[in-house]
Amino acid sequence: MLQWIKNIPIPLIYLSFLLLWFYYAIFSASYLALLGFVFLLVCLFIQFPWKPASKVLVICGIFGFWFLFQNWQQSQASQNLADSVERVRILPDTIKVNGDSLSFRGKSDGRIFQVYYKLQSEEEKEAFQSLTDLHEIGLEGKLSEPEGQRNFGGFNYQAYLKTQGIYQTLNIKKIQSLQKVGSWDIGENLSSLRRKAVVWIKTHFPDPMRNYMTGLLLGHLDTDFEEMNELYSSLGIIHLFALSGMQVGFFMDGFKKLLLRSGLTQEKLKWLTYPFSIIYAGLTGFSASVIRSLLQKLLAQHGVKGLDNFALTVLVLFIVMPNFFLTAGGVLSCAYAFILTMTSKEGVGLKAVTRESLVISLGILPILSFYFAEFQPWSILLTFVFSFLFDFVFLPLLSILFAISFLYPVIQLSFIFEWLEGMIRFVSQVASRPFVFGQPNAWLLILLLISLALVYDLRKNIKRLTVLSLLIIGLFFLTKHPLENEITMLDVGQGESIFLRDVTGKTILIDVGGKAESNKKIEKWQEKATTSNAHRTFIPYLKSRGVAKIDQLILTNTDKEHVGDLLEVTKAFHVGEILVSKGSLKQKEFVAELQATQTKVRSVSVGENLPIFGSQLEVLSPRKIGDGGHEDSLVLYGKLLDKHFLFTGNVEEKGEKDLLKQYPDLEVDVLKASQHGSKKSSSSAFLEQLKPEMTLISVGKNNRTKLPHQETLTRLEGINSKVYRTDQQGAIRFKGWKSWKVETVG
């Protein structure tokens, strides 16, 4: 193998880097990546003689054909969708039970589906929680395409499932049969084996010990770990549960030592590591980081070391897992591995380890910002401390306890993990909020990575290092403070939230979205761990724009669809002040929620101006103090850059008449429709007088109330107002310097 590597006309790391650009040019249809690939090809022919450069071009052509073939296959799969499914085989290790919600991945006719089902009884819930063998379900259900991206910088569920080979979701209406089946498929049997291990641990070990055992040994974290998952994430150390080189090394080395002591020769052992690797990968759910680590480990035993090892791993991943570099886990796993490879020879001892930790944290920062938009500085220290505990104490300890549990489960050590979680909770309380960098665009990301690479190369040249450091700071500044004005109506489902920020960084958030509370009573077994709507929608968006502080949070009314996620917002961002109407303060429940935020609250009156965009938003309503109902809703108006905006809150027809009476000459270019386009608002008289050029409607996709109402849409059509709807187009954003340009997600 080493001889084969030597025959490659250029260093292997250069080839993998070149092909990585080609990969993104094809799979992401990125003109920037294609430009980068062409530029590197030109450099190749300048730097190397024509003959070896031509050989590299042939290699690129072979890989390019493979990339195009894989991309074509995915395109065909996304077009040739199934019409119906009557039977589906459960992949047991993908089973997740959350309250009365069941989800898993299932196979049918060579296709994989993401399956959802509402459990009908506690007995049915317990049956699926304990299910470990391969089963086939006869069903009646509905197929649909996964939800795509709804907000700028938001999670694209459809794209994620595509990387897993899934193109449709299946909602089961009725389970007609459940039958145990056999299979010759290695992957399916490994899925069953992993599920057996998870269920065994959950039934023989107490909480929270069992979560750490399934997480560190099998890469499985269940829904009952949701609270701690959020705490570990906020501290920037959730990656401790991502199985990587340390776990792979621990189990591979343990396997080798065991067989060598039994008298097996090195040569035979070398080949036995391959089936062991497949089994271990299956038991960990074929996670990206495990597969990368296993490949590097297997190549190392053939004498491939250092950068050649890493580069060859990348080339193999291009072939065996074509979607690997389209996932955050895959990219981060390889990024960490590359930085570790580059820094592994820089000395030993505590000083060297500390330097290595800092280099890794800095080197990975642009990619972390690209995927998560924030960085927790405490994570550098916490990773240093807790990685020792997890890798050198908990991993061996839990492995031993799991092995002997088949003879006698030792549960007395659960207090250690209770103590650990207590410490994590304490640290999360005293630690500062993560530093929000924002999400760099493709150009800024590439410039950041190149700059950091140059910093590493020129680390001993103080003058150049200073210049590069200033450049990096400038690039991060542009990411955090994009020099542009914006008004964005976010897609928060059946709710409402509008974000405003001017070029100076002044921020205003109008409403926070939320869900109306259901009056339906549920039993204990139906209760589920949920993530707030805000954490799925506008919180990621605001962080992707570098927002860490909201200067003024305006709550136009007290409806849950407008204020339901208030507490989540004040936890995620520093809020300067909360502005409300005087009438809303008569609502006791609403006042209690305001007090819980521990944020300054101020009531505003008609005529008050809120400066932004070199202009101001004026409060037009309510003129009288009511009881906190819809007619107490705040109405805001202003000429922002070149257009007049009217944000109507939740007013009904009566409030609209009052507005027309008080402001007969009101000029409106952009109208935010009240009540999600209900027929109770946006009356004919109101629209006929205002004649807005554009109308924005925030409404949930496939909402139960079937809003916006057709009567409202007909009225808007009658005045030739262009309608933008979040249910059809996702988030709607106005951007510009002196004038607005409209863009939508969909």
Side-chain angles (χ1 to χ4, degrees):
M1 184 171 289
L2 289 173
Q3 188 60 43
W4 177 81
I5 293 172
K6 289 177 182 177
N7 290 331
I8 296 176
I10 64 173
L12 205 58
I13 190 68
Y14 291 0
L15 178 62
S16 66
F17 187 61
L18 181 66
L19 288 172
L20 191 64
W21 283 86
F22 200 18
Y23 173 93
Y24 283 117
I26 292 173
F27 279 95
S28 300
S30 170
Y31 290 108
L32 179 59
L34 183 60
L35 183 65
F37 174 69
V38 172
F39 173 76
L40 290 174
L41 275 183
V42 172
C43 293
L44 175 73
F45 279 90
I46 294 172
Q47 190 175 356
F48 293 92
W50 179 264
K51 190 174 180 180
S54 299
K55 290 181 180 178
V56 172
L57 197 60
V58 172
I59 296 171
C60 288
I62 294 169
F63 273 93
F65 176 79
W66 174 249
F67 296 157
L68 286 168
F69 175 70
Q70 290 295 319
N71 199 38
W72 174 81
Q73 276 197 322
Q74 291 177 12
S75 178
Q76 290 296 111
S78 63
Q79 292 174 17
N80 301 323
L81 302 175
D83 296 321
S84 63
V85 173
E86 294 180 353
R87 303 189 70 82
V88 66
R89 181 170 296 189
I90 300 173
L91 297 177
D93 71 328
T94 65
I95 292 174
K96 288 185 178 180
V97 178
N98 186 14
D100 62 353
S101 295
L102 168 70
S103 68
F104 60 87
R105 291 180 182 179
K107 281 186 173 181
S108 180
D109 296 327
R111 293 183 172 95
I112 304 176
F113 302 92
Q114 182 64 49
V115 186
Y116 300 98
Y117 174 63
K118 189 175 181 66
L119 296 161
Q120 302 301 304
S121 66
E122 190 172 3
E123 292 73 26
E124 192 175 42
K125 176 179 179 178
E126 291 172 353
F128 277 103
Q129 283 179 322
S130 59
L131 188 146
T132 59
D133 295 313
L134 291 170
H135 282 74
E136 196 169 77
I137 290 181
L139 58 92
E140 180 185 330
K142 181 183 178 183
L143 288 168
S144 56
E145 291 189 51
E147 188 65 77
Q149 188 175 345
R150 304 297 304 173
N151 286 290
F152 300 99
F155 181 61
N156 190 331
Y157 188 50
Q158 187 178 56
Y160 166 72
L161 287 182
K162 185 180 175 181
T163 65
Q164 310 299 302
I166 301 171
Y167 300 90
Q168 288 174 285
T169 58
L170 172 62
N171 285 282
I172 299 177
K173 295 179 181 178
K174 183 180 179 182
I175 293 179
Q176 296 172 331
S177 64
L178 182 62
Q179 184 180 357
K180 185 177 176 180
V181 294
S183 174
W184 291 99
D185 189 294
I186 296 174
E188 290 179 1
N189 284 292
L190 286 174
S191 173
S192 176
L193 187 60
R194 184 180 185 226
R195 178 66 180 174
K196 283 183 168 70
V198 169
V199 172
W200 175 269
I201 292 169
K202 284 192 167 294
T203 53
H204 289 82
F205 291 92
D207 188 41
M209 185 180 181
R210 62 189 182 190
N211 287 313
Y212 290 86
M213 189 174 286
T214 59
L216 291 175
L217 302 188
L218 304 168
H220 175 92
L221 292 174
D222 221 330
T223 51
D224 57 359
F225 196 67
E226 187 67 31
E227 181 199 353
M228 292 307 302
N229 198 323
E230 288 182 10
L231 290 178
Y232 276 104
S233 298
S234 68
L235 294 172
I237 53 174
I238 191 64
H239 63 272
L240 294 172
F241 290 95
L243 304 186
S244 58
M246 181 60 71
Q247 287 91 335
V248 169
F250 176 80
F251 288 109
M252 287 285 283
D253 293 342
F255 175 75
K256 288 178 180 179
K257 287 177 182 178
L258 183 67
L259 291 186
L260 284 172
R261 287 179 180 177
S262 65
L264 208 68
T265 63
Q266 284 281 3
E267 189 61 32
K268 289 181 179 179
L269 177 63
K270 184 184 290 186
W271 295 107
L272 281 174
T273 56
Y274 287 94
F276 176 79
S277 297
I278 294 172
I279 294 169
Y280 180 67
L283 289 173
T284 57
F286 293 102
S287 73
S289 56
V290 166
I291 291 173
R292 190 271 306 160
S293 299
L294 283 170
L295 280 172
Q296 287 199 267
K297 199 78 175 175
L298 293 171
L299 288 171
Q301 68 179 21
H302 288 281
V304 186
K305 306 287 185 181
L307 283 176
D308 282 343
N309 180 292
F310 174 79
L312 192 56
T313 299
V314 171
L315 297 182
V316 174
L317 287 170
F318 283 149
I319 298 169
V320 300
M321 293 186 72
N323 291 325
F324 186 89
F325 294 98
L326 298 176
T327 65
V331 173
L332 286 168
S333 175
C334 277
Y336 275 115
F338 176 73
I339 297 169
L340 280 169
T341 303
M342 295 295 294
T343 58
S344 60
K345 298 179 180 180
E346 300 212 348
V348 293
L350 183 61
K351 187 177 179 182
V353 172
T354 305
R355 188 190 302 115
E356 184 181 283
S357 297
L358 287 170
V359 170
I360 291 170
S361 298
L362 276 175
I364 204 71
L365 195 54
I367 299 175
L368 281 177
S369 296
F370 183 75
Y371 285 112
F372 307 112
E374 61 183 0
F375 174 70
Q376 174 58 268
W378 278 78
S379 66
I380 300 174
L381 175 62
L382 293 173
T383 298
F384 185 77
V385 174
F386 282 95
S387 61
F388 175 81
L389 278 174
F390 275 64
D391 296 334
F392 296 103
V393 179
F394 294 154
L395 182 61
L397 174 64
L398 291 171
S399 298
I400 294 168
L401 293 178
F402 175 71
I404 65 175
S405 69
F406 296 95
L407 300 173
Y408 178 75
V410 179
I411 62 174
Q412 292 82 1
L413 298 178
S414 186
F415 75 92
I416 297 173
F417 301 94
E418 292 172 5
W419 167 82
L420 173 68
E421 292 198 344
M423 189 164 60
I424 291 293
R425 287 190 178 94
F426 172 76
V427 173
S428 68
Q429 289 174 355
V430 299
S432 57
R433 286 193 178 101
F435 189 82
V436 180
F437 282 104
Q439 185 182 58
N441 58 35
W443 282 101
L444 287 175
L445 177 63
I446 291 167
L447 287 172
L448 279 167
L449 292 173
I450 292 172
S451 300
L452 284 171
L454 290 172
V455 165
Y456 181 78
D457 286 341
L458 304 171
R459 58 192 181 278
K460 294 181 181 179
N461 190 319
I462 302 299
K463 288 184 178 179
R464 292 183 178 180
L465 193 63
T466 304
V467 174
L468 282 168
S469 299
L470 290 172
L471 174 62
I472 291 169
I473 292 170
L475 292 172
F476 274 118
F477 179 84
L478 284 175
T479 302
K480 184 170 178 59
H481 301 283
L483 301 176
E484 60 188 359
N485 302 293
E486 77 162 290
I487 299 174
T488 304
M489 173 176 274
L490 290 142
D491 183 359
V492 293
Q494 192 63 12
E496 200 164 290
S497 185
I498 302 170
F499 174 67
L500 299 86
R501 178 169 62 179
D502 64 22
V503 72
T504 67
K506 170 69 183 292
T507 56
I508 293 177
L509 184 66
I510 304 174
D511 293 329
V512 296
K515 288 184 177 179
E517 295 178 350
S518 174
N519 295 322
K520 186 180 178 182
K521 292 184 178 180
I522 60 172
E523 297 180 31
K524 183 71 175 175
W525 70 271
Q526 294 175 300
E527 295 176 359
K528 63 183 74 173
T530 58
T531 304
S532 73
N533 189 54
H535 277 104
R536 296 193 304 271
T537 54
F538 71 83
I539 289 178
Y541 174 72
L542 263 60
K543 288 186 175 182
S544 76
R545 301 293 287 170
V547 176
K549 180 186 178 183
I550 298 168
D551 295 308
Q552 292 173 312
L553 171 56
I554 303 171
L555 303 177
T556 61
N557 62 96
T558 61
D559 279 8
K560 288 294 183 183
E561 294 175 348
H562 291 249
V563 304
D565 286 333
L566 174 60
L567 198 58
E568 301 298 328
V569 174
T570 54
K571 286 179 181 177
F573 306 99
H574 174 72
V575 178
E577 61 177 352
I578 299 174
L579 307 180
V580 298
S581 68
K582 289 184 170 98
S584 67
L585 296 176
K586 292 184 178 181
Q587 299 280 339
K588 292 182 179 180
E589 185 183 343
F590 180 59
V591 171
E593 290 177 2
L594 291 173
Q595 291 172 342
T597 66
Q598 298 181 340
T599 304
K600 177 186 175 184
V601 178
R602 181 166 65 89
S603 60
V604 292
S605 305
V606 170
E608 188 166 339
N609 292 319
L610 308 174
I612 194 165
F613 302 117
S615 181
Q616 59 273 325
L617 278 174
E618 183 183 353
V619 180
L620 301 188
S621 183
R623 304 188 70 83
K624 299 178 181 178
I625 302 175
D627 59 359
H630 288 170
E631 297 312 321
D632 272 333
S633 187
L634 289 174
V635 176
L636 304 165
Y637 174 78
K639 185 180 182 185
L640 310 176
L641 301 188
D642 63 330
K643 293 189 184 297
H644 297 83
F645 286 77
L646 182 64
F647 302 103
T648 56
N650 226 12
V651 296
E652 296 182 351
E653 188 173 356
K654 184 178 179 297
E656 293 175 349
K657 287 179 179 178
D658 290 340
L659 278 172
L660 293 180
K661 182 179 178 182
Q662 294 297 325
Y663 308 98
D665 299 322
L666 202 62
E667 184 181 347
V668 177
D669 299 304
V670 182
L671 170 69
K672 195 284 299 180
S674 181
Q675 298 193 349
H676 321 293
S678 164
K679 67 177 181 179
K680 294 180 181 179
S681 59
S682 303
S683 63
S684 296
F686 188 66
L687 295 177
E688 284 293 338
Q689 183 159 332
L690 297 183
K691 287 188 167 52
E693 177 189 334
M694 287 176 274
T695 301
L696 313 179
I697 303 177
S698 182
V699 62
K701 189 175 181 180
N702 300 321
N703 63 88
R704 293 180 181 178
T705 50
K706 300 188 184 299
L707 294 176
H709 200 278
Q710 187 55 50
E711 285 186 27
T712 304
L713 295 174
T714 302
R715 290 197 291 265
L716 289 166
E717 186 181 349
I719 62 168
N720 295 318
S721 182
K722 185 174 177 61
V723 177
Y724 290 93
R725 300 166 46 174
T726 56
D727 62 330
Q728 293 183 349
Q729 293 145 311
I732 303 145
R733 182 163 63 185
F734 294 77
K735 289 172 66 177
W737 281 78
K738 295 181 179 181
S739 61
W740 295 112
K741 180 183 177 182
V742 185
E743 56 185 13
T744 63
V745 173

